[in-house]
Amino acid sequence: MFTKGDQRAWIKIEVARGKNASECYHGLREACALPYSTVTRWVKTFCAGRNATVDLHRTGQSSIPQHEIDIVSSLFSIDRLGLSGN
């Protein structure tokens, strides 16, 4: 299976070769079933001059609530101390 990075790198190469979103989409459709809207977004991004294929850091609220992160972190701390009872 192709990773997101692989897919974006392929789109980037195809854009450099002069392909449009439809041509890129048809090339990727069989290999990894990537949605047309995703291909279109990345074609526009690379045509606008972006070179990186990795996701940019997003600001805002974490997808995991902080209290859950704190609970899991505490459990790992306990386990490292050998106090987990196992």
Side-chain angles (χ1 to χ4, degrees), residues 15-63:
V15 167
R17 295 173 66 200
K19 301 285 177 98
N20 63 30
S22 180
E23 292 167 324
C24 290
Y25 170 70
H26 290 295
L28 282 171
R29 182 175 55 188
E30 291 180 21
C32 52
L34 200 59
Y36 183 75
S37 59
T38 300
V39 174
T40 301
R41 183 177 72 246
W42 281 100
V43 167
K44 288 179 184 178
T45 301
F46 293 130
C47 285
R50 180 170 170 184
N51 288 315
T53 59
V54 295
D55 288 324
L56 297 175
H57 177 70
R58 297 181 185 184
T59 59
Q61 187 174 10
S62 172
S63 59

